[in-house]
Amino acid sequence: MSKLGTLFICIFFLPASFGLYSNQSRILSQLHTDIIQNVEYKTSIRPEFETHVEFAYTLVSINDFDEIKGIIHTVGIIYVSWNDSRLTWNTSDYADIQFFPVHLGDIWRPEISLLNTVGKFEIFDHLQDKFIAWVTNKGQVHYSLGGVYSASCDPDVTYFPFDVHECFLRFVPFSDIFFRDFFKNESIQLAKPLLNSSDIHDEDGEWKYHAMTPCVRNVGNTNLFGAIFPIKLQRRWKFVFFNVIIPVLLLGYLNLFVYSIPVEAGERVSFAITVLLSYTVFMIVTAQSIPETSAPMPLLSYFLVFKLVYSSFIAVSSITISRIYHRDKDRPITIVYKKLTYSVECIGNCLINPNSSEKVKKDTSDKSDPEIAVSESNPFTWIRVSKAMDKISIAFFLVVIVTETVIFFAFLLNSYTNDVFDKSSLICDNF
Ligand SMILES: *[C@@H]1O[C@H](CO)[C@@H](O)[C@H](O)[C@H]1NC(C)=O
Ligand SMILES: *[C@@H]1O[C@H](CO)[C@@H](O)[C@H](O)[C@H]1NC(C)=O
Ligand SMILES: *[C@@H]1O[C@H](CO)[C@@H](O)[C@H](O)[C@H]1NC(C)=O
Ligand SMILES: *[C@@H]1O[C@H](CO)[C@@H](O)[C@H](O)[C@H]1NC(C)=O
Ligand SMILES: *[C@@H]1O[C@H](CO)[C@@H](O)[C@H](O)[C@H]1NC(C)=O
């Protein structure tokens, strides 16, 4: 029964709905003839002397952010709306039709440009003349299109890999620039975006990004107004942190163990040079993942250069200590070396066993010349000097590397914040 009913409806109403459709399309083409092909309508003439343009930009994704060249390529959807009083009609004359599509090339349209572009300047170009805009009976024109918008953006990589950048797209109605004194300063306004950017935007492997609240601001000191759409980007730091910073840090501490290799083994110098070499190789490899800018230079670059210098000094000192170790037994030991050795041995002994330090002191004070005093059980040789120098070197380089690590991380982590996207955009505040 119900199937029969459906059939009944189809047979009797299908022709009727076709009729309605053909009626509507006939009315639509009538409307088009009356309004668009009207001889009075000229596409080059502004609807009003002062035409407001409502504008919205919805960020969909970031194609690429080249922080070295300072270019951001975004995919976005723009929405433009304006009122054209010539495109109005009485709906009761046209079978209650309230909106209809027109080719963009057939009507007047505002000339909006992306001011800080590195690609296409004009938003509307002749390629879009066949695109469809919608006109309502009140004369409102709505148009939206998607595209790739590339803009210049000043990067600041000081705190790489914890860097945060703020780029923006500035759209300006450019036909106003010549007669800008005639037009009111508010010729571009922000429209409510058709889509919520956070609902549609894609995740990116390298950057976390977020479209910030847009604003309308003057262009420089002129009374020309542009709509600014800021985008904040925060680097995903884990890759660089685990692939560059941690290995470099470990190599630095590994380097210290050169002093625990016995000099007799003869492996010391080759170990020191190997670490130095692997450092150099590592620097070359990692240089590719570091932005090649020097204004300002990333702190990480200073960190790497410092590590290289540090490793060179360790290599030099281990070579020097090996030389001292192998010095001829008959060669007299100078007073400077002796003083050094005594103080190092004393520090070691004092910490472990205070009595033995007294013994050393007594040993030295008993002799007429304390500087060349030698206890019988431990004759003073170049080997003893080199062992003392090992201890000095370990202590010195350990202090250096710990200090450096602490300072470096203090700088980096100080700059790191988790909630960059909650803060307001600096660009809208500063313009
Ligand atoms: C179709 O148009 C005719 C006049 O042109 C009108 O009389 C008729 O009511 C219209 N039909 C519909 C379904 O609007
Ligand atoms: C167009 O006019 C309507 C009222 O008729 C107004 O609400 C709207 O903001 C206007 N649009 C623009 C872009 O000025
Ligand atoms: C539209 O036309 C009808 C009759 O054709 C008229 O009664 C009405 O006032 C008109 N409306 C406007 C806004 O002009
Ligand atoms: C427009 O600009 C003038 C100065 O050029 C300023 O006094 C006025 O407040 C501005 N109007 C708005 C709505 O911003
Ligand atoms: C967009 O969506 C997010 C969460 O999905 C919401 O917090 C935000 O208020 C929305 N923004 C607008 C303009 O609707």
Side-chain angles (χ1 to χ4, degrees), residues 55-323:
F55 192 88
Y57 167 84
T58 309
L59 177 69
V60 176
S61 66
I62 306 267
N63 267 2
D64 184 30
F65 175 46
D66 187 339
E67 67 272 40
I68 295 158
K69 291 195 183 120
I71 298 175
I72 184 166
H73 302 280
T74 70
V75 176
I77 297 167
I78 63 169
Y79 162 73
V80 196
S81 171
W82 64 92
N83 283 346
D84 191 336
S85 56
R86 296 166 296 180
L87 305 177
T88 51
W89 65 91
N90 187 337
T91 50
S92 51
D93 296 344
Y94 295 94
D96 273 345
I97 288 174
Q98 290 183 344
F99 47 85
F100 82 108
V102 290
H103 283 148
L104 196 59
D106 291 343
I107 54 173
W108 175 88
R109 67 223 176 163
E111 279 166 41
I112 295 176
S113 310
L114 177 56
L115 199 61
N116 60 335
T117 185
V118 292
K120 201 170 57 135
F121 190 67
E122 296 284 332
I123 295 300
F124 298 120
D125 59 28
H126 66 280
L127 292 175
Q128 289 152 15
D129 283 355
K130 293 280 170 235
F131 286 18
I132 296 296
W134 289 86
V135 180
T136 72
N137 66 311
K138 300 259 168 43
Q140 290 179 11
V141 185
H142 302 280
Y143 181 69
S144 73
L145 82 159
V148 175
Y149 300 97
S150 305
S152 58
C153 176
D154 265 346
D156 177 1
V157 290
T158 313
Y159 297 110
F160 176 89
F162 296 110
D163 44 345
V164 175
H165 306 276
E166 199 170 333
C167 301
F168 64 93
L169 301 174
R170 176 152 52 180
F171 294 95
V172 174
F174 233 88
S175 52
D176 296 359
I177 198 162
F178 188 68
F179 291 112
R180 64 172 185 266
D181 291 337
F182 293 100
F183 303 117
K184 291 279 157 58
N185 39 15
E186 284 203 300
S187 56
I188 193 164
Q189 295 167 341
L190 295 171
K192 199 174 171 298
L194 298 181
L195 296 161
N196 189 338
S197 173
S198 52
D199 290 346
I200 56 168
H201 87 21
D202 294 337
E203 288 298 317
D204 185 90
E206 196 183 353
W207 300 96
K208 271 189 227 165
Y209 58 89
H210 203 277
M212 308 302 284
T213 315
C215 58
V216 173
R217 294 283 182 275
N218 301 57
V219 177
N221 291 326
T222 65
N223 54 2
L224 190 69
F225 274 68
I228 292 171
F229 295 86
I231 301 165
K232 253 191 196 170
L233 300 108
Q234 186 179 34
R235 190 187 300 274
R236 294 185 191 273
W237 51 269
K238 283 187 186 135
F239 180 82
V240 178
F241 190 78
F242 290 112
N243 290 283
V244 179
I245 296 181
I246 294 290
V248 166
L249 215 58
L250 286 183
L251 266 183
Y253 286 95
L254 181 70
N255 217 343
L256 282 177
F257 284 87
V258 74
Y259 300 109
S260 2
I261 303 172
V263 183
E264 308 91 75
E267 288 294 322
R268 257 187 188 212
V269 177
S270 52
F271 179 80
I273 298 294
T274 308
V275 174
L276 181 62
L277 268 184
S278 55
Y279 239 117
T280 321
V281 170
F282 209 79
M283 260 191 91
I284 293 167
V285 171
T286 56
Q288 282 154 15
S289 60
I290 293 176
E292 297 158 4
T293 55
S294 36
M297 207 153 94
L299 284 178
L300 187 65
S301 299
Y302 293 108
F303 174 71
L304 284 177
V305 168
F306 184 89
K307 281 288 159 70
L308 197 69
V309 172
Y310 160 85
S311 187
S312 313
F313 273 111
I314 287 187
V316 168
S317 85
S318 63
I319 291 170
T320 315
I321 291 171
S322 295
R323 269 188 67 87

